[in-house]
């Protein structure tokens, strides 16, 4: 339990987030691009990613009527995620419990231990919301893209890394309360800070599979801290370097192209506020002309599972390259 009050965030509305980096940062990153050559170890592991599994995970999550953080469902979803991770063979899974605004909620935490002490945090939120009424806890809110897509990708990554020997540990965190204003991630970032957890990097996956309203069905966003939205500046350079690495890995191992955009309106922000190095994977689909965002039509049929599979590949390539 926290002894003092944590910072507050508005309910995230990604349609209002900046979509491009500051031009001088963009030019700087362009000048620092480097090619990464294929590593057979990583390539072999990436081949294990199954789009069938990813689709199955999205279906499981979006079959809940909704996953509103103030509904009873949210606890069922938390249990389902924890059970899923246990079924994948994980023994170190737990609920990180917190209270906010009178609600007792859970983040689901799962550890893949490495031989070293530092860890990479891979995270995403599992709750949903409807834009018409943020307090509607009974109507259908499937949240297939926002954010069953990110959760499904993380579960598939967890499945694949479960049996690997790695140096850095990988921790998976599934947050509730994101749509209320990053509740779960704020409490968890504070927990990480208070426990002096040796966090190498935070990689957030939020909305990773809907390309229908985009100009291209093969461009993913890599969110980096270009100083536009972040709370502290000491970690910007490290975030951009990790972003560049993710970009090169996407180029080497996947069929997608990438663009950078600033971190904003998602679960990495409380980690950013505490100085941790954060990047994110995002499809860029929260556009004003996308009617499915935070709506009852955010369903599996609108997802591009091939694209989501490639984004999963990009994030797994990054995790492996940092952890191996
Ligand atoms: Zn989201």
């Amino acid at each position: 339990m926290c002894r003092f009050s944590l910072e507050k965030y508005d309910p995230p509305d990604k349609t209002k987030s900046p979509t491009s980096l500051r031009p001088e940062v963009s030019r700087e990153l362009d000048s620092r691009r480097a090619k990464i050559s294929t590593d057979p170890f990583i390539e072999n592991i990436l081949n294990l990613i199954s789009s069938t599994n990813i689709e199955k995970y999205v279906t499981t999550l979006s079959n809940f009527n909704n996953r509103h953080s103030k509904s009873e469902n949210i606890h069922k979803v938390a249990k389902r995620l924890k059970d899923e991770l246990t079924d994948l063979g994980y023994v170190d899974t737990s609920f990180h419990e917190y209270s906010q605004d009178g609600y007792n909620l859970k983040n689901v935490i799962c550890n893949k231990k490495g031989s070293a002490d530092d860890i990479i945090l891979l995270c995403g939120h599992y709750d949903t919301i409807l834009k018409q009424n943020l307090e509607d806890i009974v109507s259908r809110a499937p949240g297939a893209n926002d954010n069953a897509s990110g959760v499904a990708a993380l579960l598939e990554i967890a499945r694949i890394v479960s049996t690997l020997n790695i140096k850095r540990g990988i921790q998976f965190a599934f947050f509730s309360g994101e749509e209320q204003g990053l509740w779960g991630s704020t409490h968890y970032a504070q927990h990480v800070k208070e426990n002096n957890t040796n966090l190498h990097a935070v990689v957030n996956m939020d909305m990773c599979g809907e390309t229908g309203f985009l100009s291209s069905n093969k461009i993913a966003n890599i969110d980096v801290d270009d100083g536009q939205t972040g709370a502290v500046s000491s970690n910007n350079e490290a975030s951009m370097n990790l972003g560049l690495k993710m970009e090169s890995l996407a180029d080497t191992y996947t069929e997608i192209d990438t663009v950078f955009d600033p971190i904003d309106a998602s679960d990495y922000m409380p980690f950013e506020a505490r100085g941790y190095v954060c990047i994110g994977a995002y499809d860029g689909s929260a556009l004003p002309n996308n009617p499915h965002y935070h709506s009852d039509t955010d369903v599996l049929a609108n997802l591009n599972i091939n694209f989501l599979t490639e984004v999963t590949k990009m994030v797994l390539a990054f995790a492996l390259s940092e952890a191996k």
Side-chain angles (χ1 to χ4, degrees), residues 22-51:
R22 294 190 293 131
E24 62 274 28
V25 174
S26 203
R27 278 194 298 276
E28 168 70 16
L29 293 184
D30 280 344
S31 74
R32 282 158 48 183
R33 286 208 165 84
K35 202 153 173 59
I36 291 180
S37 52
T38 305
D39 175 338
F41 168 80
I42 292 181
E43 193 169 45
N44 285 334
I45 293 169
L46 296 182
N47 285 332
L48 301 173
I49 293 180
S50 153
S51 55

Side-chain angles (χ1 to χ4, degrees), residues 67-105:
R67 305 188 300 279
H68 197 287
S69 292
K70 296 179 180 177
S71 76
E72 272 307 306
N73 286 344
I74 200 74
H75 302 289
K76 293 180 195 155
V77 182
K79 183 176 183 308
R80 183 61 197 252
L81 287 171
K82 189 163 174 286
D83 289 348
E84 201 72 55
L85 292 158
T86 303
D87 289 349
L88 292 175
Y90 285 96
V91 286
D92 187 355
T93 62
S94 59
F95 291 134
H96 169 253
E97 303 195 35
Y98 67 94
S99 301
Q100 182 147 354
D101 293 20
Y103 295 90
N104 297 319
L105 292 165

Side-chain angles (χ1 to χ4, degrees), residues 43-259:
E43 193 169 45
N44 285 334
I45 293 169
L46 296 182
N47 285 332
L48 301 173
I49 293 180
S50 153
S51 55
T52 311
N53 278 344
I54 293 172
E55 184 166 337
K56 184 192 76 183
Y57 291 137
V58 172
T59 303
T60 299
L61 284 156
S62 49
N63 275 351
F64 286 91
N65 183 48
N66 66 54
R67 305 188 300 279
H68 197 287
S69 292
K70 296 179 180 177
S71 76
E72 272 307 306
N73 286 344
I74 200 74
H75 302 289
K76 293 180 195 155
V77 182
K79 183 176 183 308
R80 183 61 197 252
L81 287 171
K82 189 163 174 286
D83 289 348
E84 201 72 55
L85 292 158
T86 303
D87 289 349
L88 292 175
Y90 285 96
V91 286
D92 187 355
T93 62
S94 59
F95 291 134
H96 169 253
E97 303 195 35
Y98 67 94
S99 301
Q100 182 147 354
D101 293 20
Y103 295 90
N104 297 319
L105 292 165
K106 302 176 183 78
N107 297 319
V108 182
I109 309 297
C110 170
N111 284 300
K112 164 66 188 172
K113 231 182 136 32
S115 57
D117 284 338
D118 56 344
I119 60 169
I120 301 159
L121 179 68
L122 302 185
C123 61
H125 73 90
Y126 63 87
D127 59 315
T128 59
I129 207 147
L130 294 172
K131 63 190 160 205
Q132 299 89 337
N133 178 1
L134 305 189
E135 300 301 318
D136 183 347
I137 65 167
V138 296
S139 298
R140 177 86 176 122
N145 196 41
D146 191 8
N147 181 36
S149 65
V151 172
L154 294 171
L155 287 172
E156 180 63 354
I157 291 171
R159 183 185 74 81
I160 289 167
V161 302
S162 65
T163 56
L164 299 179
N165 288 317
I166 50 174
K167 192 157 160 255
R168 282 201 177 104
I170 299 177
Q171 182 173 83
F172 298 92
F174 302 90
F175 299 126
S176 53
E178 193 262 0
E179 303 288 10
Q180 274 62 40
L182 319 183
W183 286 1
S185 51
T186 304
H187 283 268
Y188 194 64
Q190 184 64 19
H191 172 79
V192 159
K193 180 99 182 166
E194 287 177 4
N195 286 278
N196 292 315
T197 306
N198 191 349
L199 253 193
H200 169 67
V202 176
V203 184
N204 183 53
M205 299 188 76
D206 190 3
M207 305 174 66
C208 297
E210 191 190 350
T211 58
F213 287 81
L214 303 177
S215 55
S216 161
N217 61 8
K218 53 175 292 192
I219 299 178
N221 288 20
I222 297 173
D223 314 329
V224 295
D225 185 356
D226 71 337
Q228 194 171 172
T229 50
V232 298
S233 56
S234 55
N235 57 0
N236 297 7
E237 187 62 24
S239 168
M240 289 187 284
N241 282 333
L242 291 183
L244 279 166
K245 192 161 184 185
M246 181 112 97
E247 176 189 58
S248 303
L249 290 163
D251 198 38
T252 302
Y253 295 109
T254 77
E255 290 166 10
I256 49 175
D257 297 323
T258 55
V259 291

